[in-house]
């Protein structure tokens, strides 16, 4: 090197260049936003709090799917099946064995991860469409297993009731309390997903997605990293499934079904594949739209009185379907991409006219 | 590391695809620190030869050894770890990543952060990223691609993508560099830049280079030795001067262009 730089200057500048949040006002904004979320139960209605709770839990599942499908390029429609695994594991550990909730949550994460890894094995032989079919298998095998196996423990198609989590003497038995649990775990999962995506592991994932041939010739073991992606995605599903089961206080083979897997994938598309913001935007927007379907049901009932019964059930997939189609037509790269464009325009603002 | 002057030994390899015989009993040696060019008409088997060396194709017969070690059956992803890096005839970059991240991704084999370290990031993975970022920045400086450091490579023009791909191969700090038509589709100025980079790499790091190239003028200028393939067989081997005057070569290949 021709230029002698002062010692430590590199460290400072590369670390700074690599940091995500660079300015004080950005930190302040983030903390303000989190504070607003944590104090939500103080000023928002119960139904809003429980909606935010549901959004948070969905985000976690989508974040996992994003690692697998968005970053590694392995399309999976089995994410809800691994939520089922996580939900059952933590339900049984808390209910039957009296485990403390955090330990059960961790076990749910790891247990779902291992099962996810098993269903990821076909990815070593097949790609694309065929692999997607293999992940679909999880969606049939796992619910079947919960219905048929160990009826004295899993209680067949009826499923099992799930205790509310108790920690530090607090019973998390209403949305206003549960949301603290969800938000805290969501902060952890978001941080971890971000860390994975910006490190060696994330670069290996994207290498496999963008050019698996080159990745392998440049030293990335497809075997190892595809399985790690499946494992991580299912770990996230396990956490999400456990949180959902304890919040619903019940789980059966249909709590997380094929439609949920498809919706999770749709959330990812709406938000934008392969970006961390995308998972958050996508899950939020789609959950809000599905909520909109519920809220607008009375209006549609007036419009089509003949089909009043089951209107909500009919409207949700309809709203979801339309949202997905509109996004595929107008913003196939998702909301995160739109956000990037918006930010770029904002930064150029004084010069753009 | 062995001091064997033979860096790579391709011993009598044959390869076929269904009815096509892509390679037939091809043998040659690459000496440590030399630039060896492989030339031949389209479909002669040049790319297939590189694919066999880098473990992407497996020869039906014959063997390949690198630094005295048989690598014919080494798993593909372990070849890079041995110090063999390559570029591709049809650019094979990680299109969704920036120039910087393409090079960082190629540091994969030198880095050690496992899944847990990456999930936690702060501490080991972060320190390791900074450490390797320094090496990558040196390569970026060397190849004069600072201005596209943060650009997503999918959107770059052809000539720059070729250069980024060379950078990605260099990020592996290879002892043996395989370049498949690094100058194809470039204008004269870009070709000269690329030739200069190749010669500089060779000089600065004493990297052994195997190069496939169509531009005969350039090949004659930069190669120490040349191997000529035609219809999957080696028809000549020698210094540029000998190849220029070899009748078989002139007939098979040069005749068309000279
Ligand atoms: N993957 C493949 N499948 C079928 N045939 C192939 C494959 N790769 C190379 N070939 C054939 O092998 C021969 C040599 O190809 P190649 O090594 O690419 O030639 P070159 O690089 O010298 O132009 C050609 O006839 C080509 O069609
Ligand atoms: Mg070729």
């Amino acid at each position: 090197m021709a230029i002698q730089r002062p010692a430590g200057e590199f460290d400072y500048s590369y670390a700074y260049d690599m940091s995500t949040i660079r300015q004080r006002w950005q930190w302040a904004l983030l903390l303000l936003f989190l504070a607003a979320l944590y104090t939500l139960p103080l000023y928002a209605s119960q139904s809003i709090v429980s909606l935010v709770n549901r959004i948070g839990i969905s985000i976690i599942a989508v974040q996992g799917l994003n690692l697998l499908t968005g970053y590694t390029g392995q399309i999976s429609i089995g994410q809800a099946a691994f939520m089922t695994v996580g939900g059952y594991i933590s339900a049984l550990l808390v209910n039957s064995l009296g485990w403390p909730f955090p330990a059960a949550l961790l076990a749910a994460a790891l247990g779902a991860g291992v099962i996810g890894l098993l269903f990821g094995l076909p990815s070593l032989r097949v790609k694309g469409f065929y692999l997607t079919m293999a992940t679909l298998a999880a969606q049939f095998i796992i619910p079947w297993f919960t219905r048929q196996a160990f009826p004295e423990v899993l209680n067949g198609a009826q499923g099992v009731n799930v205790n509310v989590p108790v920690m530090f003497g607090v019973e998390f038995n209403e949305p206003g309390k549960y949301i603290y649990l969800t938000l805290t775990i969501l902060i952890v999962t978001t941080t971890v997903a971000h860390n994975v995506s910006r490190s060696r592991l994330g670069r290996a994932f994207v290498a496999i997605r963008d050019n698996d041939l080159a990745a392998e010739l440049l030293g990335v073991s497809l075997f190892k990293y595809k399985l790690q992606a499946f494992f991580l995605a299912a770990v996230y599903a396990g956490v999400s499934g456990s949180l959902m089961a304890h919040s619903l206080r019940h789980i059966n083979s249909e709590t997380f079904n094929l439609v949920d897997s498809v919706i999770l994938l749709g959330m990812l598309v709406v938000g934008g594949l392969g970006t961390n913001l995308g998972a958050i935007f996508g899950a939020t927007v789609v959950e809000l739209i599905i909520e909109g379907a519920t809220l607008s049901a009375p209006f549609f009932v007036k419009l089509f009185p003949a089909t009043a019964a089951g209107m909500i059930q009919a409207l949700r997939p309809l709203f979801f379907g339309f949202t997905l189609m509109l996004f595929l037509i107008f913003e196939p790269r998702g909301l995160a991409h739109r956000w990037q464009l918006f930010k770029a325009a904002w930064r150029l603002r004084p010069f753009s006219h | 590391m062995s001091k064997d002057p033979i860096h790579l030994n391709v011993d009598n390899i044959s390869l076929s695809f269904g009815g096509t015989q892509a390679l037939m009993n091809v043998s040659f040696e690459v000496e440590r620190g030399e630039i060896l060019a492989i030339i031949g008409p389209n479909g002669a088997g040049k790319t297939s030869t590189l694919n066999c060396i880098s473990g992407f194709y497996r020869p039906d017969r014959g063997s390949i050894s690198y630094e005295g070690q048989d690598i014919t059956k080494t798993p593909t992803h372990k070849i890079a770890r041995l110090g063999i890096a390559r570029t591709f005839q049809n650019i094979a970059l990680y299109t969704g990543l920036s120039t910087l991240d393409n090079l960082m991704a190629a540091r994969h084999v030198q880095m050690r952060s496992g899944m847990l370290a990456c999930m936690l990031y702060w501490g080991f993975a972060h320190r390791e990223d900074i450490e390797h970022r320094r090496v990558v920045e040196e390569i970026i400086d060397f190849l004069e691609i600072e201005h596209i450091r943060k650009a997503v490579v999918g959107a770059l023009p052809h000539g720059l993508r070729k250069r980024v791909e060379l950078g990605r191969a260099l990020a592996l700090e290879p002892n043996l560099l395989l370049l498949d038509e690094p100058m194809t589709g470039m204008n004269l100025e870009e070709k000269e830049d690329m030739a200069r980079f190749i010669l500089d790499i060779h000089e600065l790091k004493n990297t052994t280079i195997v190069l496939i190239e169509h531009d005969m003028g350039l090949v004659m200028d930069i190669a120490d030795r040349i191997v000529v393939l035609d219809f999957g067989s080696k028809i000549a081997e020698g210094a540029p001067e000998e190849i220029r005057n070899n009748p078989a070569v002139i007939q098979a290949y040069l005749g068309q262009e000279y």
Side-chain angles (χ1 to χ4, degrees), chain A residues 275 277 281 335-347:
Chain A
T275 65
L277 275 180
F281 286 165
L335 284 166
H337 180 243
R338 181 69 25 203
W339 173 246
Q340 290 300 332
L341 294 180
F342 172 75
K343 272 203 309 192
W346 181 256
R347 280 179 189 153

Short mmCIF file of all heavy atoms in Angstrom, two decimals, chain A residues 275 277 281 335-347:
data_model
loop_
_atom_site.label_atom_id
_atom_site.label_comp_id
_atom_site.label_asym_id
_atom_site.label_seq_id
_atom_site.Cartn_x
_atom_site.Cartn_y
_atom_site.Cartn_z
N THR A 275 -34.95 -9.21 1.95
CA THR A 275 -34.61 -8.03 2.73
C THR A 275 -35.25 -8.19 4.10
O THR A 275 -36.34 -8.75 4.22
CB THR A 275 -35.16 -6.73 2.11
OG1 THR A 275 -36.59 -6.79 2.13
CG2 THR A 275 -34.71 -6.55 0.67
N LEU A 277 -36.34 -5.80 6.10
CA LEU A 277 -37.51 -4.94 6.25
C LEU A 277 -38.72 -5.58 5.57
O LEU A 277 -39.84 -5.43 6.04
CB LEU A 277 -37.24 -3.58 5.61
CG LEU A 277 -36.54 -2.54 6.47
CD1 LEU A 277 -36.36 -1.26 5.67
CD2 LEU A 277 -37.34 -2.26 7.73
N PHE A 281 -42.51 -5.52 6.83
CA PHE A 281 -43.56 -4.81 6.07
C PHE A 281 -44.63 -5.78 5.59
O PHE A 281 -45.83 -5.52 5.73
CB PHE A 281 -42.95 -4.13 4.83
CG PHE A 281 -42.15 -2.90 5.13
CD1 PHE A 281 -41.31 -2.36 4.18
CD2 PHE A 281 -42.25 -2.26 6.37
CE1 PHE A 281 -40.56 -1.21 4.44
CE2 PHE A 281 -41.51 -1.12 6.64
CZ PHE A 281 -40.66 -0.60 5.67
N LEU A 335 -42.65 -4.20 -0.90
CA LEU A 335 -42.67 -2.90 -0.23
C LEU A 335 -41.29 -2.41 0.16
O LEU A 335 -41.02 -1.21 0.14
CB LEU A 335 -43.54 -3.02 1.03
CG LEU A 335 -45.04 -3.05 0.79
CD1 LEU A 335 -45.76 -3.51 2.04
CD2 LEU A 335 -45.52 -1.66 0.39
N ALA A 336 -40.39 -3.34 0.51
CA ALA A 336 -39.05 -2.92 0.94
C ALA A 336 -38.35 -2.19 -0.19
O ALA A 336 -37.63 -1.22 0.04
CB ALA A 336 -38.24 -4.13 1.39
N HIS A 337 -38.59 -2.64 -1.42
CA HIS A 337 -37.98 -1.99 -2.57
C HIS A 337 -38.56 -0.59 -2.75
O HIS A 337 -37.85 0.39 -2.99
CB HIS A 337 -38.22 -2.83 -3.83
CG HIS A 337 -37.63 -2.24 -5.06
ND1 HIS A 337 -38.40 -1.86 -6.13
CD2 HIS A 337 -36.36 -1.93 -5.39
CE1 HIS A 337 -37.61 -1.35 -7.06
NE2 HIS A 337 -36.38 -1.39 -6.64
N ARG A 338 -39.87 -0.49 -2.61
CA ARG A 338 -40.54 0.81 -2.70
C ARG A 338 -39.96 1.77 -1.66
O ARG A 338 -39.68 2.92 -1.91
CB ARG A 338 -42.04 0.54 -2.48
CG ARG A 338 -43.01 1.64 -2.54
CD ARG A 338 -43.29 2.31 -3.83
NE ARG A 338 -43.09 1.61 -5.08
CZ ARG A 338 -42.90 2.26 -6.22
NH1 ARG A 338 -42.90 3.57 -6.25
NH2 ARG A 338 -42.74 1.60 -7.33
N TRP A 339 -39.73 1.25 -0.47
CA TRP A 339 -39.16 2.03 0.64
C TRP A 339 -37.77 2.53 0.29
O TRP A 339 -37.41 3.68 0.55
CB TRP A 339 -39.15 1.16 1.90
CG TRP A 339 -38.45 1.75 3.09
CD1 TRP A 339 -37.32 1.28 3.67
CD2 TRP A 339 -38.85 2.89 3.85
NE1 TRP A 339 -36.98 2.07 4.74
CE2 TRP A 339 -37.90 3.06 4.88
CE3 TRP A 339 -39.92 3.79 3.77
CZ2 TRP A 339 -37.97 4.09 5.81
CZ3 TRP A 339 -39.99 4.82 4.70
CH2 TRP A 339 -39.03 4.96 5.71
N GLN A 340 -36.96 1.66 -0.33
CA GLN A 340 -35.62 2.07 -0.75
C GLN A 340 -35.69 3.23 -1.74
O GLN A 340 -34.95 4.20 -1.64
CB GLN A 340 -34.87 0.90 -1.42
CG GLN A 340 -34.46 -0.21 -0.48
CD GLN A 340 -33.53 0.26 0.63
OE1 GLN A 340 -32.81 1.22 0.44
NE2 GLN A 340 -33.59 -0.38 1.78
N LEU A 341 -36.61 3.09 -2.71
CA LEU A 341 -36.77 4.15 -3.71
C LEU A 341 -37.17 5.46 -3.05
O LEU A 341 -36.66 6.52 -3.37
CB LEU A 341 -37.83 3.75 -4.74
CG LEU A 341 -37.51 2.56 -5.63
CD1 LEU A 341 -38.65 2.30 -6.60
CD2 LEU A 341 -36.21 2.80 -6.39
N PHE A 342 -38.07 5.32 -2.09
CA PHE A 342 -38.55 6.50 -1.38
C PHE A 342 -37.41 7.18 -0.63
O PHE A 342 -37.23 8.40 -0.70
CB PHE A 342 -39.67 6.09 -0.42
CG PHE A 342 -40.11 7.19 0.50
CD1 PHE A 342 -40.90 8.23 0.03
CD2 PHE A 342 -39.73 7.19 1.84
CE1 PHE A 342 -41.29 9.25 0.89
CE2 PHE A 342 -40.11 8.20 2.69
CZ PHE A 342 -40.90 9.24 2.22
N LYS A 343 -36.59 6.38 0.06
CA LYS A 343 -35.47 6.93 0.82
C LYS A 343 -34.48 7.63 -0.11
O LYS A 343 -33.99 8.71 0.18
CB LYS A 343 -34.74 5.82 1.60
CG LYS A 343 -35.34 5.59 2.96
CD LYS A 343 -34.34 4.94 3.92
CE LYS A 343 -33.70 3.71 3.33
NZ LYS A 343 -32.97 2.92 4.33
N ALA A 344 -34.19 6.97 -1.25
CA ALA A 344 -33.24 7.55 -2.20
C ALA A 344 -33.76 8.88 -2.71
O ALA A 344 -33.02 9.87 -2.78
CB ALA A 344 -33.01 6.59 -3.35
N ALA A 345 -35.04 8.93 -3.03
CA ALA A 345 -35.64 10.17 -3.52
C ALA A 345 -35.56 11.26 -2.45
O ALA A 345 -35.27 12.42 -2.73
CB ALA A 345 -37.08 9.91 -3.93
N TRP A 346 -35.80 10.86 -1.22
CA TRP A 346 -35.79 11.81 -0.11
C TRP A 346 -34.40 12.41 0.07
O TRP A 346 -34.24 13.60 0.31
CB TRP A 346 -36.25 11.10 1.16
CG TRP A 346 -36.30 11.97 2.37
CD1 TRP A 346 -35.41 12.01 3.39
CD2 TRP A 346 -37.30 12.95 2.67
NE1 TRP A 346 -35.78 12.94 4.31
CE2 TRP A 346 -36.94 13.53 3.90
CE3 TRP A 346 -38.46 13.39 2.01
CZ2 TRP A 346 -37.69 14.54 4.49
CZ3 TRP A 346 -39.20 14.39 2.62
CH2 TRP A 346 -38.82 14.95 3.84
N ARG A 347 -33.38 11.58 -0.07
CA ARG A 347 -32.01 12.08 0.14
C ARG A 347 -31.60 13.04 -0.97
O ARG A 347 -30.81 13.94 -0.75
CB ARG A 347 -31.04 10.91 0.19
CG ARG A 347 -31.08 10.28 1.55
CD ARG A 347 -30.16 9.10 1.67
NE ARG A 347 -30.44 8.45 2.94
CZ ARG A 347 -30.25 7.18 3.18
NH1 ARG A 347 -29.75 6.41 2.23
NH2 ARG A 347 -30.53 6.67 4.34
#
